[in-house]
């Protein structure tokens, strides 16, 4: 029997262009236009389960023929309603949705009332437009009596079009209808059986024929077939059950016949495929026979290879060599051992860019400078050197390229600088990693006599970029090694020498190749491991660490936008204030570069991403929806501009995706920092807390990852006058400790550290000097003044100033000698919050490289002798100097 549906007298109308929704069918639509969004919001969203809307088909005026009555309506305004009349035949043109579409459409006079099974609301980014995704179920047919507008969408006065209960019972008792019904079910069962064999589906659909009434089966089956818009309208207009079932019977039978025809075609195609496979097998056997007889003709491939070699524009002497090798290849059979290796070699000759170069545009120094400034913050010296090279290139295009070597701790932008140079020059970029390379063949290639030989990394890189003038980055050049297989650093001498790389010889290539047009850029963390001859061929540019102020600028302008983009966020979801970034720099990172800073910002972004996803919740309208299973229905999209639709198979569980909701952005504060990043790792009170007793001093050292603050601790105990050193110290720093102790003992009386009769400081006691962070190896001469200060503080029982750090090598006579890495050391002291730094007087020239902002916040003290260091290291000056002979 027909389900009773209480149809209201007036329904909101949603137009379906060239598409029909039949009773019992389920469809998913996405409403994006203002009129459809308004309709769904007022008629479905606000009324929840009680909401009903009318689905009314519309057709383009380009369609000449129309089936059934057509509705003509005059344009209604937003302020008032204008009624329409039902007519038969042609209709007047009108515009739908108020979008000022130029296409002319016609309303159909009969539609289907529908209810929402699921409804979700979303907001598109970044426009902020509200959209609705609705799953609709067709309920019953209706006829439009009057069409009008309400605001931006249409409403209609409707009347039911379905047969009454009495009429339905009378039809069901008709013998002709019973016979037609049985025939329909038999045809449908046959169709389902064919589909089950073809699609390997279950038998759930067969239950549909026994449980669902015939009048509903007609609409459900028809909704799953591909048919024209006119046929859909014809089914919609079939109010009489006999007519509807007859049309459905015709469509089901036609669909069954089309499947059978398709199966016959498939069987024919499979037969032809079997024949093709048989021919392929026979051809393979014929080819094997020819190979055994040596009659295989490989001439076509060799002709193509020769043509490719001719277009490579090789130099004349190399072309003669290539022709000689090609003639040898033509005389060989493909089965011979050296055939493949010789062919691969000739293909390499053809692929190399002998004369093919990147065409450089006219150099614009201003644009290049803007590009460098946008990619990197600070690094003024490096940028200036690149601009100078570009200026020389503009005056002399064939000028030799420099061999730049960027030396600095990790994370300061050495590799990305090389990429920016390539972008500024308009050239291709190729990176070659030399870290851990110990085989000379990685640079020069293997000789072709070896099995598995291949060209070196330089030639292979040029083959990949296919130009002879790229920017080539030799990454981690300080981490090459040497063993019995050779020394890669020595092989690089020829590569980086402008006088020799014009005729670079690769062992595999075996002919000279011109590398003079390549711009080489090398990177290293330290200069010490690089052999002096190789270092002499490069222009070294040091990239020290960043100051906290520079890190703050880099984070705000570069790191935060990149981190947000990598995590699918934007400023609408996460905001990191400048003050919080400053706290991250001060409390969670003490590195020369910005990698750890980026990792911490990424941790904050991940925490924000979790909160954004957890905040998103689906908005189902009705979870308990009775659905009927049918594998016949297919997903389809309508041609309507107003809504995007796809049919959902009955009985399938579909989750309607819900877009992310835009809420108030998450602003990072101190509480979130500690929750995500943990308690602060560093603070400015570390030096003051550690220098709390005599015998402790603060030194500055240089490492491969930048400058570091090094504490030196000394203590005395009963013993035999021995000196104990701990902390994984090298030979140089051990000698510095012995020199420091000797100097202090020699001046013990002058410094009032011992009386004249007891001048031996070590009598009856041992001295133990420890360098904390014992797991880290330490060496170098720059801790000399720090050791002396710690010993004087120990013997004199006077504490060293906690806000003072020092560096410098000392001699046995007390002279303070200059040391290296001054900028890195001062930046390290600045990161630790140290306010005073004692430097050798001869290092005054190195202060030019230190940022002015750092120098302004610190007091730099210069020392020529050890006595000057002691004068500045203690509060109120050295207390023994007034009584000493120094």
């Amino acid at each position: 029997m027909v389900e009773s549906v209480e149809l209201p007298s007036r329904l909101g109308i949603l137009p379906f262009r060239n598409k029909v929704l039949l009773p019992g069918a389920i469809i998913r639509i996405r409403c994006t236009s203002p009129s459809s969004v308004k309709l769904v919001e007022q008629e479905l969203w606000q009324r929840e389960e009680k909401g009903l809307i009318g689905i009314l088909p519309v057709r383009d005026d380009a369609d000449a023929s129309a089936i059934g009555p057509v509705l003509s309506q005059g344009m209604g305004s937003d302020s008032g309603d204008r009624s329409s009349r039902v007519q038969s035949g042609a209709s007047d043109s009108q515009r739908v949705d108020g979008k000022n579409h130029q296409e002319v459409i016609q309303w159909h006079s009969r539609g289907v009332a529908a209810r929402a099974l699921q409804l979700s609301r979303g907001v598109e980014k970044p426009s902020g437009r509200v959209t609705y995704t609705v799953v609709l179920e067709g309920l019953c047919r209706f006829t439009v009596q009057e069409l009008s507008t309400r605001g931006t969408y249409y409403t209609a006065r409707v009347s039911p079009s379905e047969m009454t209960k009495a009429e339905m019972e009378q039809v069901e008792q008709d013998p002709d209808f019973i016979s037609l019904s049985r025939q329909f079910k038999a045809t449908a069962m046959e169709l389902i059986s064919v589909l089950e064999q073809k699609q390997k589906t279950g038998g759930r659909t067969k239950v549909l024929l026994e449980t669902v009434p015939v009048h509903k089966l007609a609409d459900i089956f028809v909704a799953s077939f591909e048919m024209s818009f006119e046929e859909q309208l014809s089914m919609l207009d079939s109010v009489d059950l006999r007519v509807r079932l007859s049309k459905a019977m015709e469509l089901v039978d036609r669909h069954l016949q089309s499947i059978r025809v398709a199966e016959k075609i498939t069987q024919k195609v499979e037969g032809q495929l079997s024949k093709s496979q048989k021919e392929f097998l026979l051809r393979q056997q014929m080819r094997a026979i020819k190979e055994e007889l040596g009659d295989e003709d490989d001439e076509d491939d060799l002709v193509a290879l020769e043509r490719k070699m001719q277009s490579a524009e090789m130099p004349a002497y190399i072309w003669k060599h290539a022709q000689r090798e090609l003639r040898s290849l033509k005389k060989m059979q493909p089965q011979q051992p050296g055939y493949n290796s010789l062919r691969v070699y000739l293909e390499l000759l053809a692929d190399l860019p002998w004369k093919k170069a990147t065409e450089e545009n006219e150099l614009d120094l201003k644009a290049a400078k803007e590009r460098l400034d946008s990619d990197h913050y600070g690094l003024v010296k490096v940028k200036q050197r690149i601009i100078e090279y570009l200026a020389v290139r503009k005056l002399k295009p064939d000028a030799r390229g420099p061999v730049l070597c960027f030396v600095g701790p990790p994370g300061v932008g050495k590799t990305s600088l090389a990429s920016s140079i390539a972008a500024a020059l308009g050239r291709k970029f190729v990176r070659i990693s030399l870290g851990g390379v110990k085989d000379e063949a990685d640079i020069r290639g293997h000789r072709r006599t070896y099995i598995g030989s291949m060209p070196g990394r330089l030639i292979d890189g040029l083959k990949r970029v296919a130009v002879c003038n790229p920017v080539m980055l030799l990454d981690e050049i300080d981490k090459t090694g040497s063993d019995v297989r050779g020394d890669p650093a020595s092989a690089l001498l020829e590569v980086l020498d402008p006088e020799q790389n014009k005729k670079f010889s690769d062992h595999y290539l075996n002919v000279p190749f011109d590398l003079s047009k390549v711009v080489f850029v090398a990177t290293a963390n330290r200069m010490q491991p690089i052999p002096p001859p190789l270092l002499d061929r490069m222009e070294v540019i040091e990239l020290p660490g960043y100051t906290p102020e520079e890190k703050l600028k880099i984070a705000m302008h570069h790191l935060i936008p990149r981190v947000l983009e990598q995590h699918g966020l934007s400023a609408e979801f996460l905001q990191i204030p400048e003050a919080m970034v400053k706290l991250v720099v001060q409390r969670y990172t003490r590195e020369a570069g910005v990698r750890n800073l980026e990792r911490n910002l990424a941790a904050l972004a991940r925490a924000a991403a979790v909160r954004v996803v957890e905040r998103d919740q689906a908005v189902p309208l009705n979870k308990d929806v009775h659905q009927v299973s049918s594998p016949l229905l297919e997903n389809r999209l309508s041609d309507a501009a107003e809504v995007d639709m796809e049919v959902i198979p009955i009985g399938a569980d579909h989750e309607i995706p819900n877009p992310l909701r835009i809420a108030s952005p998450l602003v990072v504060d101190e509480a979130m920092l500690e929750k995500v990043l943990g308690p602060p790792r560093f603070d400015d009170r570390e030096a003051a807390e550690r220098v709390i007793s005599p015998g402790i001093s603060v030194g500055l050292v240089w490492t491969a990852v930048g400058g570091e603050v090094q504490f030196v601790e000394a203590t005395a105990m009963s013993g035999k006058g021995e000196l104990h050193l701990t902390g994984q110290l090298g030979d140089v720093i051990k000698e510095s400790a012995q020199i420091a102790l000797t100097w202090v003992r020699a001046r013990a009386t002058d410094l009032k550290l011992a009386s004249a009769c007891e001048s031996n400081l070590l009598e009856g006691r041992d001295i133990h000097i420890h360098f904390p962070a014992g797991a880290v190896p330490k060496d170098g001469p720059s801790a000399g003044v720090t050791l002396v200060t710690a010993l004087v503080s120990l013997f004199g029982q006077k504490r060293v100033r906690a806000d003072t750090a020092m560096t410098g090598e000392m001699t046995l006579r007390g002279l303070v000698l200059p040391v290296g890495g001054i900028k890195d050391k001062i930046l390290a002291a600045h990161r630790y919050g140290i306010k005073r730094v004692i430097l050798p007087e001869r290092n005054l020239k190195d202060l030019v490289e230190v940022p002015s902002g750092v120098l302004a916040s610190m007091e730099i003290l210069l020392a020529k002798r050890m006595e000057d260091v002691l004068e500045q290291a203690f509060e109120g000056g050295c207390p023994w100097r007034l009584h000493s002979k120094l």
Side-chain angles (χ1 to χ4, degrees):
M1 300 300 293
V2 182
E3 295 181 1
S4 59
V5 178
E6 185 178 351
L7 193 65
S9 60
R10 184 169 291 274
L11 286 175
I13 298 300
L14 181 63
F16 272 23
R17 178 168 297 163
N18 297 329
K19 179 67 181 177
V20 175
L21 175 66
L22 295 175
I26 295 178
I27 197 168
R28 177 171 56 188
I29 64 173
R30 183 170 179 265
C31 301
T32 58
S33 64
S35 59
S36 59
V37 168
K38 191 69 174 178
L39 169 67
V40 172
E41 184 170 350
Q42 292 189 0
E43 301 293 337
L44 296 179
W45 182 268
Q46 296 179 1
R47 299 186 182 183
E48 299 182 349
E49 293 87 349
K50 299 180 180 179
L52 290 178
I53 61 173
I55 306 300
L56 196 61
V58 295
R59 64 163 51 249
D60 294 336
D61 195 43
D63 298 334
S65 62
I67 297 179
V70 177
L71 186 66
S72 173
Q73 182 256 349
M75 280 300 296
S77 63
D78 293 342
S79 58
D81 295 345
R82 296 182 60 183
S83 61
S84 61
R85 293 289 181 263
V86 177
Q87 299 178 353
S88 178
S91 69
D92 297 334
S93 64
Q94 64 173 347
R95 296 177 179 178
V96 178
D97 280 353
K99 295 181 180 178
N100 294 329
H101 289 314
Q102 297 300 323
E103 64 267 19
V104 180
I105 57 95
Q106 297 174 344
W107 294 94
H108 197 67
S109 64
R110 185 170 286 115
V112 174
R115 65 176 178 178
L117 299 181
Q118 275 187 306
L119 178 60
S120 62
R121 182 178 182 179
V123 179
E124 292 184 350
K125 295 184 295 184
S127 63
R129 184 175 61 173
V130 177
T131 62
Y132 284 94
T133 302
V134 192
V135 176
L136 294 174
E137 180 188 17
L139 298 179
C140 63
R141 293 171 172 81
F142 65 80
T143 302
V144 178
Q145 302 297 330
E146 181 182 0
L147 186 65
S148 59
T149 59
R150 178 184 299 169
T152 59
Y153 65 90
Y154 291 95
T155 62
R157 184 165 57 83
V158 299
S159 62
S161 297
E162 298 287 359
M163 298 177 65
T164 63
K165 183 178 179 181
E167 293 173 344
M168 184 67 67
E169 292 177 352
Q170 183 178 0
V171 171
E172 289 178 351
Q173 295 176 0
D174 185 5
D176 294 337
F177 176 78
I178 295 174
S179 175
L180 182 62
S181 174
R182 290 175 181 175
Q183 186 179 0
F184 172 78
K185 288 186 177 182
T187 308
M189 183 64 71
E190 186 178 359
L191 174 62
I192 292 173
S193 300
V194 172
L195 292 177
E196 286 179 352
Q197 295 176 1
K198 183 178 180 181
Q199 301 176 358
K200 306 298 182 182
T201 59
R204 298 171 57 189
T205 311
K206 294 181 179 179
V207 183
L208 191 67
L209 297 175
E210 303 296 336
T211 57
V212 179
V214 178
H215 67 277
K216 296 189 66 174
L217 279 177
D219 288 329
I220 291 175
F221 271 72
V222 167
S224 64
F225 298 152
E226 290 288 348
M227 55 182 177
S228 64
F229 183 53
E230 286 76 11
E231 291 174 334
Q232 296 179 25
L233 291 177
S234 177
M235 282 296 300
L236 179 62
D237 293 334
S238 300
V239 178
D240 187 87
L241 185 55
R242 288 180 291 265
V243 177
R244 188 192 314 166
L245 192 59
S246 177
K247 292 181 179 179
M249 176 69 185
E250 179 183 352
L251 292 172
V252 171
D253 186 66
R254 187 178 67 186
H255 192 68
L256 179 61
Q257 296 300 325
S258 64
I259 292 179
R260 288 174 176 173
V261 172
E263 286 181 349
K264 291 182 181 179
I265 296 175
T266 302
Q267 291 176 358
K268 291 182 180 180
V269 172
E270 288 178 352
Q272 293 176 357
L273 288 177
S274 300
K275 183 179 178 181
S276 301
Q277 292 173 355
K278 182 178 179 181
E279 293 177 355
F280 174 76
L281 181 60
L282 292 175
R283 292 183 186 278
Q284 291 294 326
Q285 293 176 352
M286 291 176 61
R287 182 177 179 182
I289 294 173
K290 286 186 177 181
E291 287 181 358
E292 292 295 331
L293 296 175
D295 295 337
E296 185 183 27
D297 189 8
D298 200 26
E299 185 178 356
D300 292 341
D301 293 340
L302 295 181
V303 170
L305 177 60
E306 184 176 8
R307 190 181 304 112
K308 186 178 180 181
M309 292 170 60
Q310 291 174 352
S311 62
E313 299 181 355
M314 304 178 190
Y317 62 97
I318 297 178
W319 171 242
K320 291 181 180 179
H321 169 75
Q323 281 184 316
R324 185 166 57 252
E325 296 289 344
L326 183 60
R327 285 195 295 269
S328 301
L329 181 66
K330 289 181 178 179
K331 295 177 183 179
M332 299 172 65
Q333 295 296 330
Q335 300 78 23
Q336 291 183 245
Y339 181 87
N340 287 331
S341 61
L342 181 56
R343 179 167 179 170
V344 171
Y345 172 70
L346 292 176
E347 288 178 352
L348 175 65
L349 291 179
D351 290 336
L352 284 177
W354 299 97
K355 293 184 180 180
K356 183 180 178 181
T358 303
E359 295 183 3
E360 298 183 1
N361 300 326
E362 185 178 355
L363 295 176
D364 188 351
L365 296 184
K366 184 178 179 181
K369 189 174 185 303
E370 291 177 353
R371 175 64 183 266
L372 292 174
D373 290 337
S374 64
D375 291 345
H376 300 275
Y377 181 84
L379 306 178
V380 179
K381 184 178 179 181
V382 182
K383 295 177 182 177
Q384 183 61 31
R385 180 63 185 89
I386 297 172
I387 295 300
E388 291 172 357
Y389 168 68
L390 295 179
V392 174
R393 288 275 309 182
K394 191 169 186 177
L395 298 176
K396 186 175 174 58
D398 58 344
R400 292 177 180 174
V403 182
L404 303 178
C405 180
F406 299 139
V407 179
V412 296
K414 301 185 295 296
T415 303
S416 57
L417 260 177
S419 178
S420 297
I421 293 175
L425 291 173
R427 297 190 182 186
K428 291 187 176 181
F429 176 71
V430 57
R431 174 180 174 270
I432 298 176
S433 178
L434 299 179
V437 173
K438 295 183 179 181
D439 192 352
E440 179 188 358
D442 284 329
I443 306 300
R444 293 188 180 275
H446 303 82
R447 300 189 184 275
R448 287 196 291 137
T449 54
Y450 295 108
I451 297 176
S453 58
M454 62 182 66
R457 298 192 180 192
L458 301 178
I459 297 298
D460 184 65
L462 292 173
K463 175 187 173 183
R464 283 188 281 116
V465 296
V467 291
C468 64
N469 62 340
V471 174
M472 183 172 291
L473 173 64
L474 304 177
D475 207 7
E476 309 293 353
I477 199 173
D478 59 327
K479 295 177 177 59
T480 58
S482 61
D483 56 14
V484 294
R485 294 172 293 180
D487 184 8
S490 300
L492 287 172
L493 294 175
E494 179 186 2
V495 175
L496 300 181
D497 191 343
E499 299 297 334
Q500 301 181 40
N501 61 12
K502 293 181 179 179
K503 295 183 177 181
F504 171 69
S505 177
D506 184 274
H507 290 161
Y508 182 87
L509 199 60
N510 204 27
V511 291
F513 192 90
D514 186 6
L515 296 178
S516 61
K517 298 179 182 179
V518 179
V519 176
F520 290 100
V521 179
T523 65
N525 295 128
R526 297 185 300 159
M527 288 189 294
Q528 287 78 8
I530 304 177
L534 181 60
L535 195 63
D536 182 63
R537 283 166 168 76
M538 300 184 294
E539 180 180 346
V540 177
I541 299 178
E542 295 188 6
L543 278 72
Y546 295 110
T547 64
E549 291 76 14
E550 290 175 335
K551 289 184 179 180
L552 183 62
K553 297 293 184 182
I554 293 173
M556 299 304 297
H557 294 91
H558 298 277
L559 298 184
I560 292 179
R562 184 167 65 192
V563 166
L564 293 179
E565 181 182 359
Q566 291 174 350
H567 292 79
L569 299 173
S570 64
E572 298 178 354
F573 296 101
L574 176 64
Q575 294 181 2
I576 307 179
E578 186 173 336
M580 294 300 103
V581 178
K582 190 173 182 181
L583 288 180
V584 174
V585 172
Q586 293 175 348
R587 298 180 180 179
Y588 295 92
T589 61
R590 269 190 184 169
E591 56 172 349
V594 292
R595 284 182 181 168
N596 283 333
L597 176 58
E598 185 173 6
R599 292 189 187 102
N600 289 327
L601 294 175
L604 295 174
R606 291 193 298 271
V610 172
R611 295 192 183 184
V612 169
V613 174
E614 288 179 347
R615 190 180 301 170
D616 173 44
Q617 297 179 357
V619 188
L621 183 62
N622 187 5
K623 297 182 179 179
D624 301 327
V625 181
H626 176 70
Q627 299 176 345
V628 184
S629 171
S630 173
L632 303 178
L633 302 181
E634 302 172 354
N635 292 338
R636 294 175 300 184
L637 294 177
S638 74
D639 298 329
E642 296 81 3
V643 291
D644 297 329
M645 297 174 288
E646 57 178 333
V647 177
I648 300 179
I650 299 179
D653 294 330
H654 284 265
E655 293 184 359
I656 308 301
N658 191 41
L660 294 178
R661 299 162 184 262
I662 298 180
S664 58
L666 177 63
V667 181
V668 177
D669 53 11
E670 289 192 43
M672 182 177 177
L673 283 183
E674 293 198 7
K675 183 178 179 181
V676 176
L677 303 181
R681 301 186 183 96
F682 311 102
D683 56 52
D684 296 339
R685 302 187 302 273
E686 182 177 358
E689 292 174 355
R690 298 184 67 168
V691 187
I692 58 175
S693 61
I696 304 175
S697 59
V698 185
L700 297 174
V701 296
W702 184 90
T703 67
V705 295
E708 290 290 340
V709 171
Q710 176 65 61
F711 294 91
V712 177
E713 301 175 352
T715 187
M717 54 193 168
S718 300
K720 301 179 181 179
E722 296 178 353
L723 175 64
H724 303 279
L725 299 172
T726 56
Q728 279 209 53
L729 307 180
D731 294 336
V732 177
I733 201 169
K734 290 179 179 178
E735 293 174 357
S736 297
Q738 191 63 54
I739 293 173
L741 182 59
T742 300
W743 188 87
V744 172
R745 292 178 63 188
R747 287 159 177 75
T749 304
D750 297 336
L751 293 171
K752 300 299 182 181
L753 301 179
S755 59
C757 58
E758 299 178 357
S759 59
N760 187 6
L761 293 175
L762 299 182
E763 185 176 355
R765 58 181 174 179
D766 291 346
I767 302 299
H768 187 170
I769 300 178
H770 176 63
F771 287 72
V776 180
K778 309 170 189 69
D779 202 4
S782 61
V785 297
T786 312
L787 287 164
V788 171
T789 304
L791 291 173
V792 172
S793 173
L794 173 67
F795 293 134
Q797 290 299 302
K798 179 75 173 179
R799 285 195 307 172
V800 180
R801 294 185 58 163
D803 63 344
T804 303
M806 61 199 73
T807 184
E809 179 184 0
M810 68 162 293
T811 66
L812 200 59
R813 296 294 180 180
L815 291 176
V816 180
L817 302 183
V819 292
I822 294 298
K823 181 178 180 180
D824 292 309
K825 293 176 179 179
I826 293 179
L827 292 179
H830 182 65
R831 289 195 297 269
Y832 270 75
I834 292 175
K835 302 301 181 183
R836 303 169 77 244
V837 176
I838 302 176
L839 300 177
E841 188 178 53
R842 291 168 61 182
N843 281 120
L844 177 63
K845 61 182 182 300
D846 298 318
L847 296 179
V848 179
E849 300 179 358
V850 182
S852 58
V854 176
L855 292 177
S857 63
M858 304 180 69
E859 182 181 359
I860 306 298
L861 307 170
L862 301 178
K864 187 176 182 180
R865 296 185 57 83
M866 193 62 226
E867 291 84 348
D868 301 330
V869 176
L870 297 177
E871 179 70 20
Q872 302 293 343
F874 295 94
E875 188 72 38
C878 181
W880 312 280
R881 182 159 187 159
L882 298 175
H883 309 286
S884 67
K885 301 177 182 179
L886 300 179

